[in-house]
Amino acid sequence: MGFLKFLDQAGAVCTYIRNFFFNILFFIFLFLGVISFFCFLGILTLMADNGHTSASNVKNPKSPVLSVVINSPVMDAPPVESVSHFLLNALKNNSPREYFYLQDFRKAIARAADDKKIKAVVIRLGDEASLRLDQAKVMGSDLKKFQEKGKKVYIYSEAYDRNTYALASYVKENVYAHPLGGIFLMGYQLKSLYFKELLDNAMITVFTPKAGAYKSAIEPFNQNEMSPHVKAEYQGIADDLWDQYKKLISENRPGAAIQNFVFGSQNYLEIMKKSQGDSAMAAASGHLVDKLTDYDTFMEDVAKAESISLKTDKESYRRRLETLTFRDYLRISSDSNPQKSKNKIAVIFGSGEITSTSEYYWDFTSENLVPQINKAIEDSSVKALVLYLDTPGGDVFASDLIRSRVEAFRKSGRKVVIYMSGMTASGGYMISTASDYIVAEPTAITGSIGVFAMAGNFSKLANFAGVHVDGAGSEGSQSLSVLEPFPETYKAMAQLEIDHTYEMFLKMVAGTRNMSVDKVRPLAEGRIYTGTQAIKIGLVDKLGGFDDAVAEAAKLAKIDNSYQVVFSKPIVSDDISDLGIGIIKAVSLVNEPLALKILNSYLPAPKNLVPQENGKPRTVSFIPFTVQ
């Protein structure tokens, strides 16, 4: 009996221990469940804050005035923010990233122009507002059409720069500025820093082989000043851009003598003397702005003119107009003439330097663009493709990979149109050679058809410091080291490969522009051109905007009577489970760096895209070429 009693007591202890651990596990899972729930609510809140609220949460849904606040760079492409990025922001207590998407603005203004309930648009330019001239022209053109319907536009900024004033110039009679601000116009300049003397003093050797006499990107590393022929080229670019700018302002505001208000010019100095240093008053007297006032008084003027309320927010105690934001307007309004068609024109965006891979979905990488192009190839309803480009160029392999997929779309019997917005140079132009038609903004920078490479070593510095390299090796064992001089055979092979790549580039251009290589050669050489210069020499087909590019695509595809424009986004995938979210959130309460590390392990690993030739990986060059 004693032994049985012992077993009974031992069993009781085991049961107690088992229940104890099960209770601990229960409370752990309960805790993680609660954390997951609140984390999920947090994600919903973040998404709501970033523009996903329902129509029922829209303030002032019946206001006759739309408000537009620009306090960030204007983006061409739709913003892409995955759940993972929302979580990262939440864990780091960051506010959601603010975007100003050009196409949303255009859609809202176009819809409001035909909406009898909308009477006016109020635009506030913040300190961080920035946009390119081509974007200002597109937005301004939409505002001009809005005003032609008998509606008003008001715009306010403490101080305008060159491009924000280009946008403001489209506004009739209601351009406001602060009395202590004004307009600060700078002409166009193209300058670089030059480092040759610094590199020589630091005993750093830079090897910069190139193809194209005007390929100026490497000059800062092997010269102390700009080459005379490059300086002459840049002077022509700057003069052309400034002439276009002056023409735009004079057409929009005939009474404004814009050439007298260039910051730093002798004319502007004389004007400033007359106004006793009051730049805002000088701008008003020169008919560049219509009224000088602080922002509160501006809101009072708008409230009175448009018969809307100006109230103090009970939470922030800031005054605000009872307006309807253009984003809210898009959510609660409907397109009176929605385009629904089996024929689609897909728009794919490429902005920034061209690379193979990147951390961000919105970067101009082959990893981001190739799947989008492949998706368009697989979709038979896509009859034409418009590539919306703004790039200085970049990696030659990424550029060629994108170009080959664009060419594959074209070989499927469908049409491709390139739209050059701010810049489409070098690798961007290489991609353009796979198109049927090129539309460029007059102010776009294009060309730069050339190739260069760059590598450096510290052999002189190492020797000066007393570090030397010596040894032995078999035939063909010559390696490259930052501590040894470049072998002459290496330099010769690098130049040969660059020359070969350059000749291939020339043939691509010649093939798409219906020119001989000999005719393309003098137009190449790394030269850059504005859109107005490029059309004269046959590097682009038409000067115009994005709408013109879409219209040309529809015309080429013979679907100009009925089509739908669809804007492509990078293909985003997230595989973070609800339990994983809860664990990460729980860990973040104790150790935020560890939580970020765990979250990063959940993110999809980047896929390295390797160029293919005949089904086999192509050998990557021994030198990092940049078509730029």
Side-chain angles (χ1 to χ4, degrees):
M1 291 295 294
F3 180 68
L4 293 177
K5 185 175 182 180
F6 168 76
L7 290 178
D8 183 57
Q9 290 176 344
V13 171
C14 290
T15 301
Y16 175 81
I17 293 173
R18 183 177 68 250
N19 290 338
F20 175 77
F21 280 105
F22 272 119
N23 287 336
I24 289 177
L25 290 174
F26 171 77
F27 282 113
I28 288 175
F29 280 103
L30 179 64
F31 173 74
L32 292 177
V34 172
I35 290 297
S36 298
F37 174 74
F38 282 107
C39 186
F40 177 71
L41 291 180
I43 296 170
L44 293 180
T45 302
L46 280 170
M47 295 181 72
D49 290 341
N50 205 40
H52 298 276
T53 53
S54 65
S56 61
N57 293 327
V58 173
K59 291 183 178 180
N60 316 313
K62 297 182 179 180
S63 176
V65 178
L66 294 187
S67 64
V68 177
V69 177
I70 307 177
N71 198 30
S72 65
V74 174
M75 294 180 62
D76 295 306
V80 179
E81 194 88 46
S82 67
V83 174
S84 302
H85 284 90
F86 276 112
L87 282 169
L88 286 167
N89 281 328
L91 291 172
K92 293 186 289 185
N93 295 319
N94 287 344
S95 299
R97 182 171 177 173
E98 285 293 328
Y99 297 100
F100 189 92
Y101 175 35
L102 178 62
Q103 298 304 325
D104 277 351
F105 171 87
R106 299 197 67 199
K107 189 187 299 182
I109 299 303
R111 195 172 293 179
D114 296 325
D115 190 340
K116 295 181 180 180
K117 294 177 290 184
I118 302 299
K119 306 298 182 185
V121 171
V122 179
I123 301 174
R124 171 73 162 102
L125 299 174
D127 295 338
E128 298 182 29
S130 66
L131 67 164
R132 302 189 309 269
L133 181 58
D134 64 283
Q135 293 172 327
K137 289 169 63 178
V138 168
M139 295 168 68
S141 178
D142 292 334
L143 293 175
K144 184 178 181 180
K145 294 174 184 176
F146 180 86
Q147 292 171 106
E148 288 172 351
K149 296 291 182 73
K151 305 183 180 190
K152 289 186 178 181
V153 177
Y154 303 84
I155 189 166
Y156 183 90
S157 178
E158 273 77 23
Y160 297 90
D161 62 18
R162 184 178 63 219
N163 292 341
T164 54
Y165 183 70
L167 174 62
S169 71
Y170 285 90
V171 177
K172 296 180 179 179
E173 302 175 353
N174 291 304
V175 178
Y176 285 69
H178 195 280
L180 297 178
I183 296 176
F184 301 93
L185 298 178
M186 297 288 292
Y188 288 87
Q189 61 179 5
L190 293 84
K191 292 185 176 181
S192 297
L193 296 175
Y194 291 81
F195 307 101
K196 183 180 185 302
E197 186 175 352
L198 172 66
L199 295 172
D200 288 345
N201 291 337
M203 289 180 278
I204 298 174
T205 303
V206 180
F207 176 47
T208 55
K210 68 174 182 177
Y214 285 74
K215 202 66 175 174
S216 59
I218 58 176
E219 284 193 351
F221 302 95
N222 55 32
Q223 296 181 191
N224 286 324
E225 59 185 13
M226 190 177 290
S227 299
H229 58 280
V230 173
K231 183 174 287 189
E233 176 191 36
Y234 281 12
Q235 186 64 55
I237 295 285
D239 290 342
D240 186 27
L241 292 174
W242 181 239
D243 287 343
Q244 291 189 54
Y245 185 84
K246 289 190 295 183
K247 183 180 178 182
L248 172 68
I249 303 302
S250 64
E251 289 175 350
N252 289 342
R253 295 184 74 87
I258 196 72
Q259 67 274 7
N260 294 329
F261 288 85
V262 184
F263 198 74
S265 68
Q266 185 63 39
N267 287 347
Y268 189 56
L269 177 60
E270 296 301 320
I271 290 174
M272 286 290 285
K273 287 179 180 178
K274 291 180 181 179
S275 66
Q276 297 181 333
D278 191 337
S279 58
M281 184 59 70
S285 61
H287 306 291
L288 274 71
V289 299
D290 301 303
K291 192 170 182 179
L292 302 175
T293 184
D294 58 69
Y295 186 60
D296 270 18
T297 306
F298 166 75
M299 290 192 292
E300 291 172 1
D301 285 359
V302 174
K304 183 178 179 180
E306 300 301 326
S307 301
I308 59 175
S309 300
L310 178 61
K311 296 183 178 180
T312 301
D313 191 292
K314 293 182 179 180
E315 294 181 0
S316 64
Y317 289 94
R318 294 179 179 175
R319 303 176 80 198
R320 61 176 181 82
L321 289 165
E322 292 290 297
T323 58
L324 176 63
T325 73
F326 80 96
R327 291 187 179 90
D328 284 344
Y329 176 68
L330 283 179
R331 284 193 287 274
I332 66 175
S333 63
S334 59
D335 193 339
S336 59
N337 187 27
Q339 290 180 324
K340 291 185 179 180
S341 173
K342 293 182 179 180
N343 298 323
K344 298 176 183 177
I345 296 176
V347 181
I348 296 179
F349 296 86
S351 181
E353 184 177 354
I354 305 169
T355 59
S356 296
T357 60
S358 173
E359 179 183 353
Y360 300 107
Y361 295 113
W362 50 81
D363 285 342
F364 195 171
T365 68
S366 52
E367 184 181 51
N368 289 341
L369 263 72
V370 166
Q372 296 180 68
I373 299 170
N374 288 340
K375 185 178 180 181
I377 292 173
E378 295 295 324
D379 189 345
S380 60
S381 66
V382 176
K383 307 301 182 184
L385 180 64
V386 174
L387 283 181
Y388 190 126
L389 302 182
D390 176 34
T391 175
D395 180 75
V396 66
F397 298 115
S399 301
D400 187 57
L401 182 57
I402 295 169
R403 185 200 62 80
S404 66
R405 297 316 297 155
V406 173
E407 197 170 64
F409 179 91
R410 189 180 173 200
K411 287 180 178 178
S412 69
R414 292 170 285 180
K415 302 300 180 181
V416 178
V417 173
I418 298 294
Y419 168 56
M420 298 180 173
S421 54
M423 176 181 287
T424 303
S426 203
Y429 199 90
M430 176 181 280
I431 294 171
S432 301
T433 62
S435 68
D436 296 282
Y437 202 80
I438 299 175
V439 177
E441 288 284 348
T443 56
I445 301 297
T446 188
S448 193
I449 301 168
V451 186
F452 75 87
M454 188 163 61
N457 72 64
F458 306 92
S459 58
K460 292 181 180 179
L461 179 60
N463 293 342
F464 176 79
V467 178
H468 304 273
V469 179
D470 196 9
S474 67
E475 181 182 3
S477 66
Q478 178 73 59
S479 62
L480 297 176
S481 169
V482 294
L483 298 179
E484 294 180 273
F486 294 117
E488 291 303 317
T489 53
Y490 168 84
K491 293 181 180 180
M493 287 190 298
Q495 188 62 57
L496 286 170
E497 191 164 353
I498 283 179
D499 291 341
H500 171 71
T501 305
Y502 180 54
E503 291 299 318
M504 294 295 292
F505 198 173
L506 294 178
K507 290 177 182 178
M508 291 176 188
V509 177
T512 194
R513 304 312 303 168
N514 295 318
M515 299 179 183
S516 66
V517 173
D518 289 339
K519 187 174 181 179
V520 172
R521 195 178 300 278
L523 304 178
E525 295 289 347
R527 296 174 185 267
I528 59 173
Y529 307 92
T530 63
T532 56
Q533 295 171 334
I535 196 169
K536 295 175 183 177
I537 58 177
L539 290 183
V540 303
D541 298 297
K542 182 177 182 177
L543 297 180
F546 171 67
D547 293 342
D548 297 305
V550 171
E552 289 296 338
K555 182 179 178 181
L556 290 171
K558 298 179 180 180
I559 55 169
D560 48 320
N561 292 327
S562 176
Y563 59 88
Q564 181 181 3
V565 179
V566 293
F567 295 96
S568 177
K569 288 186 177 184
I571 299 169
V572 176
S573 62
D574 285 284
D575 57 359
I576 302 177
S577 66
D578 291 339
L579 178 59
I581 291 172
I583 293 171
I584 294 165
K585 186 64 177 178
V587 173
S588 71
L589 298 175
V590 181
N591 190 329
E592 183 179 303
L594 177 60
L596 291 172
K597 186 175 180 180
I598 295 172
L599 180 59
N600 187 58
S601 69
Y602 274 100
L603 298 177
K607 297 177 181 178
N608 295 319
L609 298 177
V610 180
Q612 300 284 316
E613 285 185 356
N614 301 322
K616 297 180 180 180
R618 184 171 63 190
T619 303
V620 178
S621 171
F622 61 86
I623 189 168
F625 287 128
T626 302
V627 185
Q628 199 170 35

